[in-house]
Amino acid sequence: MQKAPLVVIGFNGNALDALETLQSSFEIVAWLDDNPALHGRRVENAPILPMSDIAAFPDAQVVCMIGSERSYPHRHDIVARLGLPDTRFATIVDPAARVSRLCLLGHGAVVFPGVVITSNAVIGNHVMLLPQTVVHHDAVVGDYSLLGSGVVVAGSVKVGRACYIGSGSTIRNGLAIGDGSLVGMAANVLRDVAPGSVVAGNPARLLRRV
């Protein structure tokens, strides 16, 4: 059975880590990245092209893999630049992830291998959940947020829009992480995080405002 075509936004570490996840359901037909040093290369028989070439692939679904501790605040703008309707964005779940039938996954969400999402969790649009992350019951992860590897989000936590949750961090049940916040690697979050905050440590403490 022929797989549906997929255009990947961003040729970066996230995209390479997710390569087999993306290929589990799709055929990658192009990588779009505005780094001119990459243009002209082919990876897995697909060219690396400028993002402005998105119009050349009208029948392909799209996924945005851009997101790091530096670029996470810009994920919304990157997606918006494409000018595509929500239905063009693929929701991709690795076969080795465990996703409850009672959770909700948004457009453009990518769920890496080993991820566990339990009952009534809500994963927003363009969210990335990296390997071995666990999102417990009734938790919400807001649009454009990225959760690193091995993150534990306890029950009823609310992670806001466009947040970055560093690998190995844990968030206690019932807390709220405000929009645009960054939680450092291996942080242990025991209290609410105000919007636009950078926190780190065990227990997590405010380092600065974004």
Side-chain angles (χ1 to χ4, degrees):
M1 181 177 177
Q2 188 172 5
K3 295 179 180 178
L6 180 72
V7 171
V8 180
I9 307 302
F11 182 74
N12 54 18
N14 288 331
L16 292 173
D17 284 346
L19 180 61
E20 292 182 346
T21 297
L22 303 176
Q23 292 175 328
S24 65
S25 301
F26 294 91
E27 178 186 357
I28 299 171
V29 294
W31 313 83
L32 301 189
D33 195 300
D34 280 343
N35 180 355
L38 297 172
H39 299 162
R41 292 180 55 187
R42 297 186 72 88
V43 177
E44 294 291 286
N45 204 35
I48 304 178
L49 305 168
M51 286 181 58
S52 57
D53 282 2
I54 185 64
F57 303 94
D59 298 323
Q61 289 195 271
V62 179
V63 66
C64 179
M65 300 303 297
I66 296 173
S68 68
E69 68 278 9
R70 295 178 300 278
S71 64
Y72 77 94
H74 309 297
R75 282 172 53 76
H76 170 268
D77 293 341
I78 292 166
V79 170
R81 276 177 55 197
L82 300 171
L84 302 176
D86 285 344
T87 53
R88 285 288 304 279
F89 291 96
T91 299
I92 302 174
V93 178
D94 190 276
R98 296 181 60 186
V99 178
S100 169
R101 61 182 175 81
L102 300 177
C103 79
L104 296 176
L105 297 178
H107 297 288
V110 182
V111 180
F112 283 63
V115 169
V116 176
I117 306 173
T118 66
S119 299
N120 302 322
V122 177
I123 308 300
N125 297 329
H126 308 289
V127 167
M128 277 196 281
L129 304 179
L130 273 62
Q132 310 304 321
T133 282
V134 180
V135 180
H136 284 273
H137 69 91
D138 301 297
V140 176
V141 180
D143 296 348
Y144 305 100
S145 288
L146 188 152
L147 277 59
S149 299
V151 172
V152 178
V153 177
S156 300
V157 165
K158 310 299 183 189
V159 176
R161 179 185 175 94
C163 293
Y164 184 93
I165 311 298
S167 295
S169 57
T170 58
I171 304 173
R172 194 179 73 180
N173 60 293
L175 296 184
I177 309 297
D179 294 348
S181 292
L182 185 151
V183 175
M185 293 179 64
N188 185 20
V189 183
L190 300 179
R191 61 183 67 183
D192 290 345
V193 175
S197 300
V198 176
V199 302
N202 183 9
R205 295 178 173 86
L206 178 66
L207 299 183
R208 64 181 186 276
R209 301 290 185 185
V210 176

